[in-house]
Amino acid sequence: MKKPWIMALSVIGCAALFNLPHASGQGNQGNSEQARIARGFQIAPVPLKLKGRNRDLVGLGSYIVNAQGGCNDCHTNPPYAPGGNPFLGQPEHINTAGYLAGGVEFGPVVSANITPDEDGLPAGVTYQEFKKYLRNGHDPDDPDEILQVMPWPVYGKMTERDLRAIYEYLSAIPSIGPHDE
């Protein structure tokens, strides 16, 4: 016969798995999004300019860019500051001096600077242009060319709100270096 405390834990565990919304993945989406927004602000590696921006979209965008999208890996050169490369067993420290300013070479392709330009536009493009590039992968410098390294087929499947959040976050980060015209 099982011990009573093991049976009690089994009953509690089953109840948690089958009856609680968060355990079954059917929790309140508002609460789930609020948690991602809060986490986005916690993990943003650079100071954010929030004035005039949708705070929730900036936080959500930070979460997507920094916790899900891996944008730093390709758009920051080098991605980690000296002594801060987690792939070398070091405590992670993002290269904030070059954060998302591009310059990573992938053969003949170089990643773009996606920080805001002098007009405050991430990568120097409007939201409609940004959304178009992520949805169809056409190179902004040459619309006949398809972006070969950027994983646009994945990002293009994101919801309108997620794409808007990414753009809003990129609008809120510091501008770094020259932008291609």
Side-chain angles (χ1 to χ4, degrees), residues 90-139:
Q90 303 164 345
E92 181 185 62
H93 185 74
I94 301 292
N95 171 13
T96 57
Y99 181 66
L100 302 182
V104 178
E105 293 184 17
F106 298 93
V109 178
V110 177
S111 65
N113 180 346
I114 57 175
T115 68
D117 67 4
E118 62 277 355
D119 297 320
L121 301 174
V125 299
T126 66
Y127 173 66
Q128 291 305 318
E129 292 168 321
F130 177 81
K131 182 172 73 167
K132 183 175 111 182
Y133 302 143
L134 288 183
R135 293 268 192 239
N136 67 31
H138 289 279
D139 187 330

Side-chain angles (χ1 to χ4, degrees), residues 52-111:
R53 294 191 172 78
N54 180 314
R55 183 176 169 77
D56 285 353
L57 286 179
V58 171
L60 179 60
S62 175
Y63 181 80
I64 294 167
V65 166
N66 296 303
Q68 293 178 317
C71 303
N72 184 64
D73 296 338
C74 296
H75 287 280
T76 305
N77 189 14
Y80 301 102
N85 187 336
F87 294 105
L88 298 177
Q90 303 164 345
E92 181 185 62
H93 185 74
I94 301 292
N95 171 13
T96 57
Y99 181 66
L100 302 182
V104 178
E105 293 184 17
F106 298 93
V109 178
V110 177
S111 65

